[in-house]
Amino acid sequence: MSARERLTDALYGAGWGTVKKLPEPVAVRLGRTIADAAWKQRGKGVLRLESNYARVVPGASPERLAELSRAGMRSYLRYWMESFRLPAWSPERIADSLTVEGLHHLHEGMAAGKGVVLALPHLANWDLAGAWVTTKLGVPFTTVAERLKPETLYDRFVAYREGLGMEVLPHSGGSAFGTLARRLRDGGLVCLVADRDLSASGVEVSFFGHAARMPAGPALLAQHTGARLLPVTLWYDEPPVMQGRVHPPVEVPASGTRAEKTSVMTQALADAFATGIADHPEDWHMLQRLWTEDLDPAHAPERDREGTA
């Protein structure tokens, strides 16, 4: 493990070990202080966030983008402060922290007995939403996590999410899809963050009028198993409440090849995600490159090229 990896692991460990013990007002102030300091430094993450917001809010002035990125960093640090403290929250606190519209889509899908796939973008706090599902609804589910480095940091995230009642599978390794399909055929619930492709097999979609690639997994799982595919979007309200919406089901097209059906369904997910992101852009925590032309270093802004492979 490199010195940088050891430092990263130690910082996250300190967050989970220390922040959850702070009085809540202190933790809130700490999160906002860190967010504002990071925003003022104008590092790569902040610049990428503004670049992404420029696509979400076309025509926004530099001043407007700066306002959005500051609010976005505060939202992002709210996510972290909540996540560090979430294991210490009572079941009652978790149950009262989220209000969801369109929940009947989930209930109907589970009642049908063929399983449900919930697909979410990086909006607000998806870990809190997951804890709400296992606590308030009493429904266990399976998800997938990106393998982080160092491995000890990945292990921390897995232990954290399993402590909230989730079954966590590694994204890499090739066996996740089969396990997810089995859970769905047993009538279970699968939740996937699905607005950023981490593989080389993503589906091209139009996202805010520009080409991007999103994972094919949610659409393929629905086709393979007959599970209901439901987009979900989240957004922050005044603390301590978060809001959510379960969108209508994404149907499997009646005709076409598997690839054609997957393309249509993934585009429908992208459209639902775009609706939620456009309504609450400051709660979209996308500090990485997403759009196809941004992934090509030749098209990246000069300030963002350093360190690209």
Side-chain angles (χ1 to χ4, degrees), residues 14-288:
W16 270 300
T18 304
V19 172
K20 69 181 179 182
K21 299 177 182 178
L22 296 175
E24 185 155 344
V26 175
V28 170
R29 288 196 300 272
L30 175 62
R32 179 160 292 199
T33 298
I34 295 172
D36 288 348
W39 178 77
K40 289 177 181 177
Q41 288 178 359
R42 309 289 292 162
K44 285 187 178 180
V46 173
L47 295 178
R48 174 51 50 193
L49 190 62
E50 286 187 11
S51 178
N52 290 338
Y53 285 159
R55 297 192 189 277
V56 174
V57 189
S61 67
E63 293 77 15
R64 172 60 177 151
L65 291 176
E67 290 174 0
L68 274 175
S69 67
R70 184 178 189 184
M73 290 303 295
R74 287 183 172 184
S75 176
Y76 185 48
L77 264 294
R78 175 175 170 180
Y79 160 77
W80 279 113
M81 290 298 110
E82 286 177 348
S83 295
F84 287 144
R85 296 172 59 79
L86 197 51
W89 284 12
S90 69
E92 294 77 18
R93 171 72 185 276
I94 293 172
D96 291 342
S97 293
L98 177 61
T99 302
V100 181
E101 59 185 73
L103 196 57
H104 64 281
H105 295 303
L106 173 58
H107 290 315
E108 291 166 1
M110 296 301 292
K114 294 185 177 181
V116 171
V117 179
L118 297 180
L120 306 86
H122 287 81
L123 273 169
N125 192 334
W126 46 96
D127 285 327
L128 174 55
W132 184 87
V133 168
T134 60
T135 302
K136 174 75 171 182
L137 303 184
V139 178
F141 67 86
T142 304
T143 189
V144 174
E146 178 183 2
R147 276 202 176 276
L148 303 171
K149 289 186 178 181
E151 192 76 13
T152 51
L153 179 58
Y154 170 77
D155 292 340
R156 286 184 190 275
F157 272 97
V158 170
Y160 157 65
R161 287 173 174 146
E162 288 180 342
L164 299 175
M166 312 173 193
E167 180 187 21
V168 183
L169 307 176
H171 181 271
S172 59
S175 62
F177 188 91
T179 302
L180 294 173
R182 286 193 294 274
R183 299 293 183 268
L184 292 169
R185 291 192 182 102
D186 290 338
L189 178 64
V190 165
C191 299
L192 300 171
V193 179
D195 58 343
R196 180 170 172 250
D197 181 46
L198 296 175
S199 71
S201 58
V203 177
E204 184 168 299
V205 297
S206 176
F207 195 50
F208 290 98
H210 299 270
R213 300 190 75 83
M214 293 189 180
L220 288 173
L221 284 167
Q223 292 177 64
H224 275 278
T225 66
R228 183 169 298 194
L229 176 56
L230 300 174
V232 177
T233 52
L234 305 167
W235 64 95
Y236 276 131
D237 203 340
E238 290 298 318
V241 178
M242 185 170 72
Q243 304 282 347
R245 179 188 177 197
V246 181
H247 295 250
V250 172
E251 303 292 346
V252 179
S255 61
T257 65
R258 178 171 295 173
E260 289 169 342
K261 292 178 180 179
T262 301
S263 177
V264 170
M265 296 171 73
T266 306
Q267 182 64 60
L269 283 180
D271 292 342
F273 294 166
T275 298
I277 292 167
D279 287 342
H280 304 277
E282 69 280 1
D283 290 329
W284 189 41
H285 306 150
M286 186 56 66
L287 281 73
Q288 298 83 22

